[in-house]
Amino acid sequence: MSKRAMITGITGQDGSYLAELLLGEGYEVTGIIRRLSHPNLNRIEHLLDRIRLHPADLLDGLSLIRAIEENEPDELYNLAAMSFVPASWDQPLLTGEFNAQGVTRVLDAVRRVNPKIKLYQASSSEMFGKVREVPQTELTPFYPRSPYGVSKVFGHYITVNYRESYGLFACSGILFNHESPRRGLEFVTRKVSDGVARIKLGIEQKLYLGNLEAHRDWGFAGDYVRAMWLMLQQPTADDYVVATGESHSVRDLVEVAFGHAGLDWKAHVEVDPRFLRPAEVDHLIGNAAKARQSLGWAPSVDFAGLVGMMVDSDIERLSGIKPPKPR
Ligand code: NAP
Ligand code: F7E
Protein backbone atom coordinates (compact mmCIF):
# COMPACT_ATOMS: atom_id res chain seq x y z
CA MET A 1 0.00 0.00 0.00
CA SER A 2 1.31 3.45 -0.82
CA LYS A 3 2.04 5.89 1.99
CA ARG A 4 -0.28 8.85 2.42
CA ALA A 5 0.95 12.41 2.91
CA MET A 6 -0.97 15.54 3.79
CA ILE A 7 0.42 19.00 3.01
CA THR A 8 -0.89 22.24 4.48
CA GLY A 9 0.19 25.14 2.26
CA ILE A 10 0.16 23.00 -0.91
CA THR A 11 -0.69 26.06 -3.04
CA GLY A 12 2.53 27.78 -1.93
CA GLN A 13 6.02 27.58 -3.40
CA ASP A 14 7.25 24.74 -1.16
CA GLY A 15 3.94 22.88 -1.17
CA SER A 16 4.04 22.54 -4.94
CA TYR A 17 7.62 21.19 -5.02
CA LEU A 18 6.95 18.87 -2.07
CA ALA A 19 3.81 17.47 -3.72
CA GLU A 20 5.87 16.70 -6.85
CA LEU A 21 8.54 14.98 -4.80
CA LEU A 22 6.08 12.88 -2.79
CA LEU A 23 4.16 11.81 -5.91
CA GLY A 24 7.50 10.75 -7.40
CA GLU A 25 8.15 8.68 -4.26
CA GLY A 26 4.82 6.89 -4.74
CA TYR A 27 2.76 8.69 -2.07
CA GLU A 28 -0.93 9.48 -2.20
CA VAL A 29 -0.99 13.23 -1.61
CA THR A 30 -3.74 15.33 -0.06
CA GLY A 31 -3.38 19.10 -0.01
CA ILE A 32 -5.15 21.39 2.43
CA ILE A 33 -6.58 24.47 0.76
CA ARG A 34 -8.38 27.34 2.44
CA ARG A 35 -11.50 28.88 0.99
CA LEU A 36 -10.71 31.86 -1.25
CA SER A 37 -13.14 33.83 -3.41
CA HIS A 38 -10.84 33.12 -6.35
CA PRO A 39 -8.96 29.79 -6.44
CA ASN A 40 -5.18 30.04 -6.25
CA LEU A 41 -4.09 26.74 -7.77
CA ASN A 42 -1.63 27.96 -10.40
CA ARG A 43 1.43 26.37 -8.77
CA ILE A 44 -0.24 22.93 -8.61
CA GLU A 45 -2.29 23.06 -11.80
CA HIS A 46 -0.10 20.38 -13.40
CA LEU A 47 -0.70 18.03 -10.42
CA LEU A 48 -4.46 18.36 -10.02
CA ASP A 49 -5.28 15.02 -11.65
CA ARG A 50 -2.91 13.23 -9.23
CA ILE A 51 -3.62 14.85 -5.84
CA ARG A 52 -6.63 15.22 -3.58
CA LEU A 53 -7.60 18.63 -2.20
CA HIS A 54 -9.34 19.05 1.15
CA PRO A 55 -10.73 22.36 2.45
CA ALA A 56 -9.48 23.38 5.91
CA ASP A 57 -7.90 26.39 7.60
CA LEU A 58 -5.18 26.78 10.21
CA LEU A 59 -7.55 29.13 12.03
CA ASP A 60 -10.13 26.35 12.45
CA GLY A 61 -8.94 23.43 14.56
CA LEU A 62 -12.08 21.38 13.86
CA SER A 63 -11.48 21.60 10.12
CA LEU A 64 -7.96 20.21 10.66
CA ILE A 65 -9.22 17.33 12.80
CA ARG A 66 -11.76 16.47 10.11
CA ALA A 67 -9.14 16.64 7.35
CA ILE A 68 -6.85 14.24 9.23
CA GLU A 69 -9.70 11.85 10.15
CA GLU A 70 -10.96 11.67 6.57
CA ASN A 71 -7.60 11.35 4.78
CA GLU A 72 -5.64 9.25 7.32
CA PRO A 73 -2.14 10.51 6.44
CA ASP A 74 1.05 8.73 7.55
CA GLU A 75 2.99 11.99 7.23
CA LEU A 76 1.80 15.56 7.63
CA TYR A 77 3.84 18.52 6.38
CA ASN A 78 2.73 21.78 7.97
CA LEU A 79 3.88 24.39 5.45
CA ALA A 80 0.91 26.76 5.67
CA ALA A 81 1.81 30.17 7.09
CA MET A 82 1.69 33.90 6.61
CA SER A 83 5.19 33.87 5.16
CA PHE A 84 5.92 37.46 4.06
CA VAL A 85 7.92 39.21 6.79
CA PRO A 86 6.81 42.85 6.13
CA ALA A 87 3.13 41.82 6.28
CA SER A 88 3.71 40.53 9.80
CA TRP A 89 4.11 44.12 11.05
CA ASP A 90 0.82 45.05 9.37
CA GLN A 91 -1.03 42.04 10.83
CA PRO A 92 0.86 40.83 13.92
CA LEU A 93 -2.15 39.17 15.55
CA LEU A 94 -3.18 37.26 12.45
CA THR A 95 0.45 36.25 11.92
CA GLY A 96 0.45 34.74 15.41
CA GLU A 97 -2.87 32.99 14.79
CA PHE A 98 -1.54 31.32 11.61
CA ASN A 99 2.12 30.72 12.44
CA ALA A 100 2.01 30.14 16.21
CA GLN A 101 -1.42 28.93 17.34
CA GLY A 102 -2.00 27.39 13.91
CA VAL A 103 0.91 25.03 14.62
CA THR A 104 -0.61 24.12 18.00
CA ARG A 105 -3.90 23.35 16.26
CA VAL A 106 -2.15 21.04 13.78
CA LEU A 107 -0.11 19.30 16.50
CA ASP A 108 -3.12 18.83 18.73
CA ALA A 109 -5.23 17.52 15.87
CA VAL A 110 -2.51 14.92 15.17
CA ARG A 111 -2.30 14.01 18.87
CA ARG A 112 -6.06 13.51 19.08
CA VAL A 113 -6.71 11.72 15.80
CA ASN A 114 -3.58 9.58 15.40
CA PRO A 115 -0.38 10.29 17.38
CA LYS A 116 1.56 7.94 15.07
CA ILE A 117 1.41 10.45 12.19
CA LYS A 118 4.88 11.88 11.46
CA LEU A 119 4.86 15.64 11.35
CA TYR A 120 7.10 18.25 9.72
CA GLN A 121 6.96 21.85 10.94
CA ALA A 122 8.26 24.63 8.66
CA SER A 123 10.52 26.65 10.95
CA SER A 124 12.68 29.46 9.67
CA SER A 125 16.11 31.08 9.83
CA GLU A 126 14.19 34.30 10.64
CA MET A 127 14.14 32.92 14.20
CA PHE A 128 17.90 33.72 14.43
CA GLY A 129 17.21 37.38 13.54
CA LYS A 130 19.89 39.48 15.22
CA VAL A 131 22.29 36.59 15.12
CA ARG A 132 24.05 35.39 18.28
CA GLU A 133 26.52 33.20 16.39
CA VAL A 134 27.97 32.90 12.87
CA PRO A 135 27.18 30.56 11.14
CA GLN A 136 23.89 29.51 12.71
CA THR A 137 23.29 25.89 13.81
CA GLU A 138 20.48 24.01 15.59
CA LEU A 139 22.02 25.19 18.89
CA THR A 140 22.28 28.91 18.10
CA PRO A 141 19.98 30.96 20.39
CA PHE A 142 17.04 32.74 18.71
CA TYR A 143 16.61 36.54 18.56
CA PRO A 144 13.72 37.17 16.13
CA ARG A 145 13.33 40.65 14.65
CA SER A 146 9.75 40.65 13.32
CA PRO A 147 6.33 39.41 14.39
CA TYR A 148 6.89 36.71 11.74
CA GLY A 149 10.13 35.60 13.40
CA VAL A 150 8.53 35.67 16.85
CA SER A 151 5.59 33.58 15.65
CA LYS A 152 7.95 31.02 14.11
CA VAL A 153 9.86 30.71 17.40
CA PHE A 154 6.57 29.77 19.07
CA GLY A 155 5.81 27.29 16.27
CA HIS A 156 9.27 25.77 16.68
CA TYR A 157 9.08 25.34 20.45
CA ILE A 158 5.50 24.07 20.50
CA THR A 159 6.64 21.37 18.02
CA VAL A 160 9.56 20.43 20.28
CA ASN A 161 7.20 20.51 23.27
CA TYR A 162 4.61 18.18 21.70
CA ARG A 163 7.43 15.80 20.77
CA GLU A 164 8.75 15.81 24.34
CA SER A 165 5.33 15.88 26.09
CA TYR A 166 3.38 13.38 23.99
CA GLY A 167 6.06 11.44 22.13
CA LEU A 168 4.92 12.69 18.70
CA PHE A 169 7.27 12.12 15.78
CA ALA A 170 7.47 15.87 15.13
CA CYS A 171 10.45 17.44 13.32
CA SER A 172 11.22 21.10 12.93
CA GLY A 173 13.18 22.10 9.84
CA ILE A 174 14.99 25.39 10.33
CA LEU A 175 15.18 26.34 6.69
CA PHE A 176 17.13 29.28 5.38
CA ASN A 177 15.75 31.31 2.44
CA HIS A 178 14.90 29.12 -0.52
CA GLU A 179 13.70 30.42 -3.85
CA SER A 180 12.60 29.34 -7.29
CA PRO A 181 10.68 30.55 -10.35
CA ARG A 182 7.56 29.74 -8.24
CA ARG A 183 8.51 32.20 -5.46
CA GLY A 184 5.91 34.88 -4.67
CA LEU A 185 6.58 38.14 -6.54
CA GLU A 186 6.95 40.17 -3.33
CA PHE A 187 10.07 38.33 -2.08
CA VAL A 188 13.33 39.98 -3.05
CA THR A 189 14.78 37.27 -5.34
CA ARG A 190 11.63 37.02 -7.41
CA LYS A 191 11.05 40.77 -7.35
CA VAL A 192 14.55 41.14 -8.82
CA SER A 193 14.21 38.35 -11.43
CA ASP A 194 10.81 39.72 -12.50
CA GLY A 195 12.22 43.27 -12.55
CA VAL A 196 15.23 42.26 -14.65
CA ALA A 197 12.93 40.49 -17.13
CA ARG A 198 10.67 43.53 -17.40
CA ILE A 199 13.61 45.85 -17.99
CA LYS A 200 15.24 43.48 -20.47
CA LEU A 201 11.99 43.30 -22.47
CA GLY A 202 11.43 47.06 -22.35
CA ILE A 203 8.29 46.80 -20.21
CA GLU A 204 9.82 48.83 -17.31
CA GLN A 205 12.90 50.99 -16.83
CA LYS A 206 13.43 50.97 -13.05
CA LEU A 207 13.39 48.54 -10.13
CA TYR A 208 12.79 49.96 -6.63
CA LEU A 209 14.25 48.02 -3.70
CA GLY A 210 14.91 48.46 0.03
CA ASN A 211 18.04 47.47 1.96
CA LEU A 212 20.76 46.35 -0.47
CA GLU A 213 23.18 45.45 2.34
CA ALA A 214 21.15 42.63 3.93
CA HIS A 215 22.79 39.21 3.49
CA ARG A 216 20.93 35.95 3.06
CA ASP A 217 21.85 32.29 2.60
CA TRP A 218 19.77 31.56 -0.53
CA GLY A 219 19.12 28.06 -1.87
CA PHE A 220 16.77 26.35 -4.36
CA ALA A 221 13.33 25.33 -3.02
CA GLY A 222 13.39 22.04 -4.95
CA ASP A 223 16.44 20.98 -2.92
CA TYR A 224 14.93 22.08 0.40
CA VAL A 225 11.71 20.05 0.14
CA ARG A 226 13.86 16.92 -0.18
CA ALA A 227 15.36 17.73 3.23
CA MET A 228 11.80 17.97 4.68
CA TRP A 229 10.96 14.50 3.39
CA LEU A 230 14.28 13.02 4.54
CA MET A 231 13.63 14.26 8.10
CA LEU A 232 10.47 12.13 8.30
CA GLN A 233 12.29 9.02 7.01
CA GLN A 234 14.72 8.92 9.97
CA PRO A 235 14.34 6.49 12.90
CA THR A 236 13.81 9.35 15.39
CA ALA A 237 12.37 12.85 15.17
CA ASP A 238 14.82 15.73 15.41
CA ASP A 239 15.41 19.34 14.30
CA TYR A 240 17.70 20.33 11.44
CA VAL A 241 19.16 23.48 9.91
CA VAL A 242 18.92 23.43 6.09
CA ALA A 243 21.13 25.95 4.30
CA THR A 244 23.81 26.26 1.62
CA GLY A 245 26.47 27.70 3.92
CA GLU A 246 27.02 30.65 1.52
CA SER A 247 25.74 34.16 2.11
CA HIS A 248 25.22 36.96 -0.43
CA SER A 249 23.97 40.52 -0.14
CA VAL A 250 20.91 41.86 -1.94
CA ARG A 251 23.46 43.98 -3.86
CA ASP A 252 25.22 40.76 -5.04
CA LEU A 253 21.82 39.34 -6.03
CA VAL A 254 21.03 42.41 -8.12
CA GLU A 255 24.46 42.42 -9.76
CA VAL A 256 24.28 38.73 -10.72
CA ALA A 257 20.65 38.94 -11.91
CA PHE A 258 21.12 42.02 -14.11
CA GLY A 259 24.50 40.68 -15.31
CA HIS A 260 22.82 37.41 -16.35
CA ALA A 261 20.56 39.41 -18.69
CA GLY A 262 23.46 41.54 -19.99
CA LEU A 263 22.28 44.66 -18.10
CA ASP A 264 24.07 47.15 -15.80
CA TRP A 265 22.09 47.19 -12.53
CA LYS A 266 23.36 50.68 -11.61
CA ALA A 267 21.38 52.17 -14.50
CA HIS A 268 18.10 50.66 -13.28
CA VAL A 269 18.01 50.04 -9.50
CA GLU A 270 16.90 52.70 -7.04
CA VAL A 271 16.47 52.47 -3.28
CA ASP A 272 12.98 53.33 -2.06
CA PRO A 273 12.63 53.81 1.72
CA ARG A 274 9.12 52.28 1.51
CA PHE A 275 10.80 48.88 1.30
CA LEU A 276 12.95 49.30 4.42
CA ARG A 277 11.80 47.34 7.51
CA PRO A 278 11.23 48.59 11.07
CA ALA A 279 13.86 46.06 12.24
CA GLU A 280 16.13 44.20 9.84
CA VAL A 281 17.81 40.80 9.89
CA ASP A 282 21.23 41.85 8.62
CA HIS A 283 23.16 38.69 7.99
CA LEU A 284 22.12 35.04 7.87
CA ILE A 285 24.38 32.12 7.06
CA GLY A 286 23.56 28.55 8.03
CA ASN A 287 25.67 25.55 8.96
CA ALA A 288 23.79 22.48 7.69
CA ALA A 289 26.45 19.95 8.84
CA LYS A 290 23.86 17.94 10.81
CA ALA A 291 21.51 17.64 7.81
CA ARG A 292 24.43 16.74 5.55
CA GLN A 293 25.68 14.03 7.92
CA SER A 294 22.42 12.57 9.27
CA LEU A 295 20.13 13.01 6.26
CA GLY A 296 22.76 12.79 3.51
CA TRP A 297 21.29 16.05 2.21
CA ALA A 298 23.20 18.53 0.03
CA PRO A 299 22.05 21.39 -2.19
CA SER A 300 22.33 20.85 -5.95
CA VAL A 301 21.89 24.43 -7.20
CA ASP A 302 24.36 27.22 -6.39
CA PHE A 303 23.62 30.94 -6.07
CA ALA A 304 24.45 31.90 -9.68
CA GLY A 305 22.52 28.87 -10.97
CA LEU A 306 19.48 29.82 -8.89
CA VAL A 307 19.47 33.46 -9.97
CA GLY A 308 20.01 32.52 -13.63
CA MET A 309 17.15 29.99 -13.49
CA MET A 310 14.78 32.60 -12.06
CA VAL A 311 15.74 35.36 -14.51
CA ASP A 312 15.44 33.01 -17.52
CA SER A 313 12.06 31.81 -16.33
CA ASP A 314 10.70 35.34 -15.91
CA ILE A 315 12.04 36.45 -19.29
CA GLU A 316 10.30 33.48 -20.89
CA ARG A 317 7.06 34.11 -18.96
CA LEU A 318 6.95 37.81 -19.89
CA SER A 319 8.18 37.52 -23.46
CA GLY A 320 4.63 37.65 -24.85
CA ILE A 321 3.94 41.00 -23.17
CA LYS A 322 4.49 43.94 -25.49
CA PRO A 323 6.33 47.03 -24.18
CA PRO A 324 4.05 50.07 -23.71
CA LYS A 325 3.99 52.59 -26.60
CA PRO A 326 6.34 55.54 -25.94
CA ARG A 327 4.40 58.52 -24.56
P1 NAP B 1 4.14 30.60 0.54
O1 NAP B 1 4.49 30.42 -0.90
O2 NAP B 1 3.79 31.94 1.05
O3 NAP B 1 2.91 29.60 0.85
C1 NAP B 1 2.19 29.67 2.05
C2 NAP B 1 1.05 28.67 2.00
O4 NAP B 1 0.31 28.73 3.23
C3 NAP B 1 0.03 28.93 0.88
O5 NAP B 1 -0.37 27.69 0.34
C4 NAP B 1 -1.13 29.57 1.64
O6 NAP B 1 -2.37 29.38 1.02
C5 NAP B 1 -1.08 28.77 2.92
N1 NAP B 1 -1.84 29.39 4.03
C6 NAP B 1 -1.62 30.59 4.57
N2 NAP B 1 -2.48 30.81 5.58
C7 NAP B 1 -3.25 29.69 5.68
C8 NAP B 1 -4.32 29.31 6.52
N3 NAP B 1 -4.79 30.11 7.48
N4 NAP B 1 -4.88 28.09 6.37
C9 NAP B 1 -4.43 27.25 5.39
N5 NAP B 1 -3.43 27.58 4.56
C10 NAP B 1 -2.84 28.78 4.69
O7 NAP B 1 5.31 30.04 1.48
P2 NAP B 1 6.55 29.07 1.13
O8 NAP B 1 7.69 29.90 0.68
O9 NAP B 1 6.08 27.93 0.31
O10 NAP B 1 6.93 28.56 2.60
C11 NAP B 1 6.34 27.38 3.16
C12 NAP B 1 6.54 27.40 4.66
O11 NAP B 1 7.92 27.44 4.97
C13 NAP B 1 5.92 28.61 5.39
O12 NAP B 1 5.51 28.15 6.66
C14 NAP B 1 7.10 29.57 5.56
O13 NAP B 1 6.88 30.43 6.65
C15 NAP B 1 8.21 28.56 5.79
N6 NAP B 1 9.56 28.99 5.40
C16 NAP B 1 9.77 29.44 4.14
C17 NAP B 1 11.07 29.77 3.77
C18 NAP B 1 11.38 30.23 2.36
O14 NAP B 1 12.48 30.78 2.17
N7 NAP B 1 10.52 29.99 1.39
C19 NAP B 1 12.13 29.63 4.69
C20 NAP B 1 11.84 29.15 5.95
C21 NAP B 1 10.56 28.81 6.30
P3 NAP B 1 -2.98 30.44 -0.05
O15 NAP B 1 -2.43 30.00 -1.37
O16 NAP B 1 -4.44 30.23 0.10
O17 NAP B 1 -2.53 31.80 0.36
O1 F7E C 1 13.78 39.61 2.01
C1 F7E C 1 15.77 42.70 1.64
C2 F7E C 1 14.92 42.56 2.89
O2 F7E C 1 11.34 39.31 1.67
C3 F7E C 1 15.14 39.27 1.99
C4 F7E C 1 10.53 34.33 3.77
O3 F7E C 1 10.41 33.19 2.95
O4 F7E C 1 12.87 33.89 4.12
C5 F7E C 1 11.95 34.87 3.67
O5 F7E C 1 12.02 36.04 4.47
C6 F7E C 1 16.00 40.49 2.28
C7 F7E C 1 15.55 41.30 3.50
O6 F7E C 1 12.76 37.38 2.51
C8 F7E C 1 13.69 44.39 -0.79
O7 F7E C 1 15.01 43.74 3.72
C9 F7E C 1 15.68 44.62 0.02
O8 F7E C 1 16.66 41.65 4.27
O9 F7E C 1 12.95 38.05 0.18
P1 F7E C 1 12.63 38.61 1.50
P2 F7E C 1 12.96 37.29 4.10
O10 F7E C 1 12.41 38.47 4.79
O11 F7E C 1 14.39 36.91 4.34
C10 F7E C 1 12.69 33.48 5.48
C11 F7E C 1 13.73 32.42 5.79
C12 F7E C 1 11.30 33.07 5.79
O12 F7E C 1 11.06 32.22 6.64
C13 F7E C 1 10.21 33.93 5.21
O13 F7E C 1 8.97 33.22 5.20
O14 F7E C 1 15.91 41.37 1.17
N1 F7E C 1 15.14 43.54 0.61
N2 F7E C 1 14.82 45.17 -0.84
C14 F7E C 1 13.90 43.37 0.13
N3 F7E C 1 12.97 42.43 0.40
C15 F7E C 1 11.77 42.53 -0.27
N4 F7E C 1 10.84 41.58 -0.04
N5 F7E C 1 11.52 43.55 -1.16
C16 F7E C 1 12.43 44.50 -1.47
O15 F7E C 1 12.19 45.39 -2.26
Side-chain angles (χ1 to χ4, degrees), residues 83-86 124-126 148 175-179 183 186-189 191 208-212 214 216 218 250 275 277 280-281 284:
S83 73
F84 188 47
V85 172
S124 166
S125 54
E126 281 292 299
Y148 172 83
L175 271 50
F176 282 62
N177 299 52
H178 45 278
E179 319 293 316
R183 188 56 143 152
E186 68 274 43
F187 298 92
V188 75
T189 51
K191 183 171 169 182
Y208 298 94
L209 295 172
N211 179 11
L212 301 185
R216 289 292 182 276
W218 278 295
V250 175
F275 298 113
R277 300 178 180 188
E280 178 62 285
V281 171
L284 291 175

Side-chain angles (χ1 to χ4, degrees), residues 11-14 34 40 57-58 79 81 83 148 152 175 178:
T11 54
Q13 171 189 253
D14 291 7
R34 55 177 170 166
N40 167 28
D57 198 301
L58 286 192
L79 309 186
S83 73
Y148 172 83
K152 283 286 179 181
L175 271 50
H178 45 278

Side-chain angles (χ1 to χ4, degrees), residues 9-311:
I10 195 165
T11 54
Q13 171 189 253
D14 291 7
S16 66
Y17 282 108
L18 180 64
E20 275 169 19
L21 180 138
L22 293 172
L23 288 169
E25 295 291 338
Y27 283 69
E28 285 174 30
V29 176
T30 301
I32 296 298
I33 48 162
R34 55 177 170 166
R35 204 256 157 199
L36 298 173
S37 64
H38 189 70
N40 167 28
L41 301 174
N42 53 313
R43 291 189 181 104
I44 51 169
E45 210 110 55
H46 59 300
L47 305 177
L48 287 177
D49 56 345
R50 289 186 285 152
I51 60 177
R52 207 183 318 173
L53 296 178
H54 188 109
D57 198 301
L58 286 192
L59 296 182
D60 184 337
L62 287 180
S63 73
L64 296 169
I65 289 174
R66 217 171 285 146
I68 296 170
E69 279 175 347
E70 287 175 21
N71 294 283
E72 300 182 337
D74 302 296
E75 298 174 8
L76 197 161
Y77 296 84
N78 183 37
L79 309 186
M82 202 303 291
S83 73
F84 188 47
V85 172
S88 75
W89 278 284
D90 297 332
Q91 299 186 325
L93 290 173
L94 191 59
T95 300
E97 282 297 337
F98 286 180
N99 300 3
Q101 297 307 358
V103 184
T104 316
R105 291 186 194 99
V106 171
L107 286 161
D108 215 71
V110 165
R111 180 171 85 87
R112 278 161 201 280
V113 179
N114 177 8
K116 290 205 168 59
I117 295 169
K118 295 183 174 180
L119 192 134
Y120 173 84
Q121 166 55 21
S123 291
S124 166
S125 54
E126 281 292 299
M127 302 190 301
F128 296 122
K130 191 169 177 178
V131 297
R132 310 281 87 187
E133 189 180 26
V134 178
Q136 294 84 52
T137 73
E138 294 78 9
L139 301 177
T140 303
F142 299 136
Y143 191 144
R145 295 273 282 169
S146 63
Y148 172 83
V150 174
S151 70
K152 283 286 179 181
V153 172
F154 183 97
H156 174 77
Y157 278 127
I158 198 70
T159 303
V160 173
N161 182 261
Y162 266 57
R163 182 170 73 217
E164 294 177 353
S165 304
Y166 304 116
L168 294 192
F169 191 109
C171 298
S172 170
I174 308 175
L175 271 50
F176 282 62
N177 299 52
H178 45 278
E179 319 293 316
S180 74
R182 297 184 201 169
R183 188 56 143 152
L185 281 162
E186 68 274 43
F187 298 92
V188 75
T189 51
R190 186 72 200 289
K191 183 171 169 182
V192 168
S193 64
D194 177 75
V196 167
R198 285 173 188 277
I199 291 166
K200 180 75 184 171
L201 297 171
I203 302 166
E204 309 271 0
Q205 288 305 312
K206 294 282 179 200
L207 175 64
Y208 298 94
L209 295 172
N211 179 11
L212 301 185
E213 307 315 324
H215 283 66
R216 289 292 182 276
D217 180 331
W218 278 295
F220 171 53
D223 287 336
Y224 284 44
V225 299
R226 176 159 288 277
M228 298 175 187
W229 175 70
L230 286 170
M231 285 178 213
L232 299 200
Q233 311 316 308
Q234 302 309 304
T236 50
D238 208 341
D239 308 322
Y240 300 87
V241 158
V242 180
T244 68
E246 253 188 55
S247 189
H248 295 272
S249 65
V250 175
R251 188 183 294 273
D252 294 340
L253 164 71
V254 160
E255 199 170 330
V256 172
F258 277 82
H260 184 79
L263 296 166
D264 175 9
W265 71 274
K266 292 193 179 112
H268 301 285
V269 172
E270 286 186 16
V271 170
D272 183 334
R274 278 187 306 140
F275 298 113
L276 300 175
R277 300 178 180 188
E280 178 62 285
V281 171
D282 294 317
H283 195 164
L284 291 175
I285 179 164
N287 175 351
K290 182 175 168 184
R292 282 176 185 266
Q293 279 153 24
S294 308
L295 306 178
W297 177 85
S300 71
V301 179
D302 66 8
F303 178 67
L306 173 67
V307 175
M309 175 204 308
M310 293 178 70
V311 169

